[in-house]
């Protein structure tokens, strides 16, 4: 069993989707616990992440790893697909009026593959829906995505709604899409992510840090 | 110099009497003229009225850099590369149009393209995605060409040069839109040889169509769109296998046909700029959208390729006129002092751009 698990970790690291799928099916047939299998896949994902940090892998490799993770989940029995007690730590969505979702989907998928609970609200999400989700989940990170310049005002309204709901001091807001530092300041967010890898990195930093770190250009900004 | 002489001289890295002015203006012109975006996108006459009015305000705008003929509502709804959501039809009338990206093509379609050819593949794709008939496809293709010819004629009547006599998006980018980015990435890893053959076939088909279009319109320059699949996303080995050969082939084939490629680079190409040194000097123009470091591009490509850009959409939307003036002055000082620079927007001026910012853009050249 240990050998199969090692092979699984390596296959994920090498981004060999078909081999991963074969090994997962074989492990299930042999009675290996689905959670143990998922943990093996996550170990492989960690290695992929480490290779990305070493600049030996690229964002496309992260995306491929995320696709493999989704494939593994699809093979699993339904009960094993949702890890019990995995509470959403990040609320994410494309803001109202905008339906672009590629970057947002990739970021959500990669975060989930890393074991981070994500409440993905989809596209065209109103400020009130974001606020409701934050209140329901208690998540400390809000990810707002938008690829249209009209999204800037909606991001701003959403952050104001979060403040109106009394959550601004306890929630870090990350924006992604067609954004930069000027947009960050305009909408009043804490961080902006230049791509999905940047989004994952900033979420990791926030979730690992104790308490809220206010935005400063040096400490945060564009990742 | 006439605008056409100025444009040609800038592209061939000669000395111009002044820096050409080539913002990419589409829906913004309609909003400025008081039209809804639905009216602008669906009524070509209103679009031309909008262009006329803006040009009357700013005659310094000497290069019409328009892709309206591709994105005109009825054209996009029938022969667009990807399923659109249009203002006044799928979205409120004042909205920007948006693209719906999903897995509209599967690996079985790759084999169909290789067996049946580029034209048959696209017809089948358009019918499936846009729910149109052969007759509607033919009508939309005629309309697209008619609008392009009218745009060229009207720009000439205004005294402008017209930049694009045709429009092509590189095969890897087209396919990544049709297949979805995630599935395209999966294909690069899992079916690389099949993907290469498909890209070769598609490149040949796209090239034949755009060369015919440029000959029909008489404008010996075409838009060559490239986006996403850059060094920010993919490794050098993937770039060198699935992107660069098709970009280079497209450029060289166009040049061989006597057509100047105007390469429109969306997203961040900073890591890949050196590849463009492989293209013939003084024969291509490169448009940047604000994501690529234009100053790095200038350092690397000055004396090799004309650069067009790059006042970006965020700055035009939330910046101030002073910021626009400062940025334009920096561009004019840093890039404009050498030959081969055209002042432009980075991609199109957004619908929501502040009027005073657009004014500041034009005033930078006055």
């Amino acid at each position: 069993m240990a050998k199969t698990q090692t092979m699984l970790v390596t296959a994920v690291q090498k981004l060999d989707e078909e081999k991963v799928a074969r090994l997962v099916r074989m492990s299930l047939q042999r009675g290996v616990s689905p959670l143990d299998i998922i943990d093996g896949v996550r170990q492989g994902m960690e290695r992929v992440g480490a290779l990305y940090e070493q600049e030996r892998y690229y964002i496309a490799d992260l995306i491929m790893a995320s696709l493999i993770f989704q494939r593994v989940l699809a093979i699993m029995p339904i009960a094993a697909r949702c890890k019990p007690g995995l509470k959403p730590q990040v609320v994410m969505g494309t803001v109202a009026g905008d339906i672009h979702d590629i970057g947002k989907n990739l970021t959500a998928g990669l975060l989930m593959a890393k074991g981070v609970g994500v409440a993905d609200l989809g596209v065209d999400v109103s400020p009130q829906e974001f606020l409701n989700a934050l209140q329901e989940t208690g998540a400390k990170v809000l990810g707002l995505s938008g690829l249209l310049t009209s999204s800037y005002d909606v991001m701003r309204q959403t952050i104001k709604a979060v403040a109106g709901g009394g959550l601004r001091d306890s929630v870090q807001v990350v924006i992604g899409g067609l954004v930069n530092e000027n947009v960050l300041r305009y909408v009043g967010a804490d961080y902006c992510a230049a791509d999905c890898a940047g989004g994952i990195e900033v979420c990791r930093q926030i979730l690992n840090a104790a308490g809220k770190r206010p935005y400063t250009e040096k400490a945060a900004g564009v990742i | 110099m006439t605008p056409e002489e100025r444009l040609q001289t800038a592209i061939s890295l000669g000395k111009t009497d002044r820096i050409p002015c080539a913002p990419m203006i589409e829906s913004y012109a309609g909003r400025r003229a008081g039209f809804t975006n639905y009216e602008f996108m669906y009524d070509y006459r209103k679009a031309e009225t909008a262009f006329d009015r803006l040009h009357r305000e700013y005659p310094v705008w000497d290069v019409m850099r328009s892709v309206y003929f591709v994105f005109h509502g009825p054209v996009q709804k029938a022969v667009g590369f990807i399923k659109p959501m249009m203002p006044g039809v799928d979205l409120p009338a004042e909205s920007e149009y948006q693209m719906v990206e999903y897995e509209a093509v599967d690996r079985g379609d790759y084999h169909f393209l290789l067996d049946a050819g580029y034209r048959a593949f696209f017809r089948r794709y358009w019918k499936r995605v846009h729910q149109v008939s052969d007759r509607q496809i033919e009508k939309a293709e005629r309309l697209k060409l008619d609008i392009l010819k009218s745009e060229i004629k009207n720009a000439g009547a205004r005294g402008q040069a017209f930049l694009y006599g045709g429009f092509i998006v590189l095969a890897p980018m087209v396919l990544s839109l049709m297949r979805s980015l995630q599935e395209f990435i999966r294909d690069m890893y899992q079916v690389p040889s099949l993907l290469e053959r498909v890209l070769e076939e598609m490149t040949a088909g796209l090239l034949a169509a755009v060369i015919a279009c440029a000959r029909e319109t008489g404008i010996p320059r075409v838009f060559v769109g490239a986006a996403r699949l850059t060094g920010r996303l993919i490794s050098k080995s993937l770039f060198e296998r699935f992107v660069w050969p098709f970009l280079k082939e497209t450029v060289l084939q166009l040049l061989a046909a006597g057509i100047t490629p105007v390469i429109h680079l969306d997203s961040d190409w900073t890591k890949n700029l050196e590849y463009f040194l492989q293209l013939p000097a003084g024969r291509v123009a490169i448009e940047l959208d604000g994501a690529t470091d234009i100053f790095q591009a200038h350092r690397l490509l000055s004396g090799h390729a004309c650069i067009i850009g790059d006042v970006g959409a965020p700055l035009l939307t939330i910046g101030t006129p002073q910021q626009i003036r400062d940025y334009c002055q920096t561009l004019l000082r840093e890039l404009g002092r050498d030959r081969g620079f055209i002042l432009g927007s980075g991609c199109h001026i957004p619908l929501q751009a502040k009027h005073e910012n657009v004014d500041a853009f034009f005033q930078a050249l006055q």
Side-chain angles (χ1 to χ4, degrees):
Chain A
M1 191 178 91
K3 191 182 170 193
T4 309
Q5 191 79 343
T6 306
M7 287 168 71
L8 182 60
V9 174
T10 306
V12 174
Q13 180 193 326
K14 289 185 174 174
L15 306 172
D16 188 339
E17 183 178 356
E18 294 311 317
K19 190 168 184 181
V20 170
R22 266 198 319 275
L23 290 168
V24 167
R25 285 199 194 92
M26 190 194 301
S27 299
L28 284 171
Q29 281 165 7
R30 290 179 182 173
V32 179
S33 145
L35 290 181
D36 285 343
I37 296 170
I38 290 177
D39 278 346
V41 175
R42 284 219 172 96
Q43 283 180 47
M45 301 281 296
E46 291 298 326
R47 290 191 187 180
V48 171
L51 287 165
Y52 176 77
E53 280 165 22
Q54 294 163 22
E55 297 186 6
R56 290 165 65 192
Y57 270 10
Y58 288 75
I59 291 174
D61 301 300
L62 297 179
I63 293 169
M64 195 59 221
S66 168
L67 292 172
I68 290 173
F69 186 75
Q70 288 165 28
R71 173 91 178 266
V72 169
L73 287 183
I75 296 170
M76 289 288 151
I78 290 174
R81 292 182 196 175
C82 303
K83 194 171 176 178
L86 189 60
K87 193 180 159 193
Q89 297 161 281
V90 178
V91 166
M92 188 177 284
T94 303
V95 299
D98 197 334
I99 60 159
H100 294 95
D101 63 358
I102 296 171
K104 186 266 297 171
N105 289 347
L106 294 175
T107 307
L110 285 163
L111 281 170
M112 286 189 261
K114 280 178 171 283
V116 176
V118 178
D120 183 350
L121 307 187
V123 299
D124 195 15
V125 182
S126 71
Q128 189 61 45
E129 288 172 296
F130 279 116
L131 177 60
N132 292 346
L134 287 170
Q135 287 169 334
E136 284 168 24
T137 61
K140 299 299 175 201
V141 183
L142 173 62
L144 302 177
S145 179
L147 211 61
L148 300 172
T149 54
S150 55
S151 297
Y152 303 155
D153 281 329
V154 189
M155 287 179 178
R156 199 177 189 177
Q157 288 160 19
T158 303
I159 293 169
K160 279 185 181 166
V162 172
L167 296 179
R168 187 65 188 93
D169 289 338
S170 59
V171 171
Q172 299 263 37
V173 182
V174 185
I175 56 171
L178 185 61
V179 295
N180 57 26
E181 286 181 64
N182 289 334
V183 178
L184 180 146
R185 289 193 196 89
Y186 177 77
V187 305
D190 298 301
Y191 297 88
C192 79
D195 52 40
C196 61
I200 292 155
E201 175 58 17
V202 75
C203 287
R204 190 186 65 77
Q205 285 180 19
I206 294 167
L207 295 171
N208 287 345
K212 176 173 171 155
R213 293 185 316 174
Y215 166 74
T216 66
E217 273 184 63
K218 262 188 186 171
V222 180
I223 291 200
Chain B
M1 280 181 160
T2 65
E4 180 62 32
E5 288 167 345
R6 192 176 296 126
L7 173 63
Q8 287 188 22
T9 304
I11 292 174
S12 59
L13 310 178
K15 185 169 172 51
T16 53
D17 57 343
R18 70 164 172 84
I19 301 290
C21 177
M24 185 180 270
I25 296 183
E26 305 287 338
S27 295
Y28 169 76
R31 179 181 142 234
R32 183 151 175 149
F35 300 130
T36 66
N37 201 30
Y38 167 72
E39 290 174 303
F40 179 85
M41 297 301 302
Y42 277 84
D43 186 337
Y44 169 59
R45 283 171 306 177
K46 284 185 177 164
E48 277 297 347
T49 301
F51 295 143
D52 279 343
R53 285 186 195 168
L54 189 55
H55 183 258
R56 275 202 296 276
E57 280 187 77
Y58 290 107
V60 70
W61 176 19
D62 56 350
V63 179
M64 183 69 177
R65 185 179 155 206
S66 176
V67 288
Y68 180 88
F69 60 102
V70 178
F71 295 101
H72 178 61
V75 172
Q76 271 205 83
K77 279 286 193 184
V79 293
F81 282 135
I82 186 166
K83 191 177 182 70
M85 289 184 76
M86 298 301 293
V89 179
D90 311 297
L91 299 167
E94 301 286 356
S95 311
E96 291 233 40
Y97 65 82
Q98 299 187 49
M99 304 295 190
V100 187
E101 187 172 336
Y102 64 101
E103 189 183 341
V105 160
D106 62 24
R107 286 181 188 169
D109 292 310
Y110 285 177
H111 294 288
F112 179 81
L113 186 147
L114 292 173
D115 292 342
Y118 160 88
R119 284 293 302 169
F121 167 82
F122 264 96
R123 282 203 169 233
R124 194 168 82 150
Y125 172 77
W126 286 327
K127 286 178 186 176
R128 185 195 306 157
V129 168
H130 302 306
Q131 302 290 302
V132 287
S133 64
D134 281 321
R135 201 174 139 268
Q136 287 169 309
I137 289 170
E138 280 152 22
K139 190 177 165 193
E141 288 191 313
R142 272 198 309 275
L143 177 63
K144 185 169 144 184
L145 186 59
D146 288 347
I147 288 179
L148 174 55
K149 286 179 177 173
S150 294
E151 281 201 86
I152 292 166
K153 189 176 159 197
N154 287 325
R158 283 192 292 269
Q160 293 175 305
F162 197 89
L163 189 54
Y164 313 124
F167 177 96
I168 184 176
V169 177
L170 291 176
M173 286 72 196
V174 172
L175 210 52
S176 81
L177 289 168
M178 293 174 158
R179 229 359 226 132
S180 84
L181 183 62
Q182 296 189 30
E183 293 307 318
F184 186 84
I185 287 170
R186 195 175 237 147
D187 293 343
M188 287 194 290
Y189 287 89
Q190 296 180 351
V191 288
S193 299
L194 173 64
L195 184 59
E196 272 182 322
R197 281 163 49 217
V198 168
L199 291 174
E200 282 164 12
E201 183 73 22
M202 192 178 260
T203 297
L206 289 165
L207 268 168
V210 81
I211 289 170
C213 183
R215 288 191 173 139
E216 175 90 18
T217 59
I219 300 286
R221 293 175 293 266
V222 298
F223 177 103
V224 179
R228 313 173 136 184
L229 301 167
T230 73
R232 249 191 112 81
L233 180 79
I234 60 176
S235 65
K236 191 178 172 193
S237 61
L238 290 179
F239 182 81
E240 288 183 350
R241 184 167 184 183
F242 296 108
V243 181
W244 182 250
F246 301 101
L247 195 158
K248 190 174 178 182
E249 173 72 6
T250 300
V251 166
L252 296 181
Q253 289 290 334
L254 287 170
L255 289 172
I259 295 166
T260 301
V262 182
I263 309 168
H264 182 89
L265 300 181
D266 274 324
S267 51
D268 187 354
W269 288 73
T270 309
K271 285 184 179 175
N272 305 98
L273 287 170
E274 284 189 19
Y275 287 88
F276 291 88
L277 290 168
Q278 295 176 30
L279 304 179
R283 306 280 307 278
V284 302
I286 296 175
E287 300 181 344
L288 301 177
D289 76 341
T292 301
D293 182 345
I294 195 169
F295 302 103
Q296 173 71 359
H298 174 62
R299 281 190 289 276
L300 274 169
L301 302 175
S302 178
H304 195 86
C306 173
I307 294 176
I308 304 176
D310 75 343
V311 182
L315 191 58
L316 287 159
T317 307
I318 60 171
T320 63
Q322 189 58 48
Q323 287 174 317
I324 300 282
R325 276 192 288 275
D326 289 347
Y327 188 65
C328 288
Q329 288 309 320
T330 304
L331 288 174
L332 293 169
R333 192 174 58 246
E334 298 288 320
L335 281 79
R337 70 179 174 207
D338 296 322
R339 297 170 183 194
F341 175 64
I342 296 174
L343 183 66
S345 52
C347 207
H348 69 277
I349 291 184
L351 182 61
Q352 292 80 15
K354 287 181 192 165
H355 296 319
E356 59 268 33
N357 287 350
V358 177
D359 292 339
F361 170 86
F362 283 118
Q363 285 159 3
L365 275 173
Q366 287 182 325

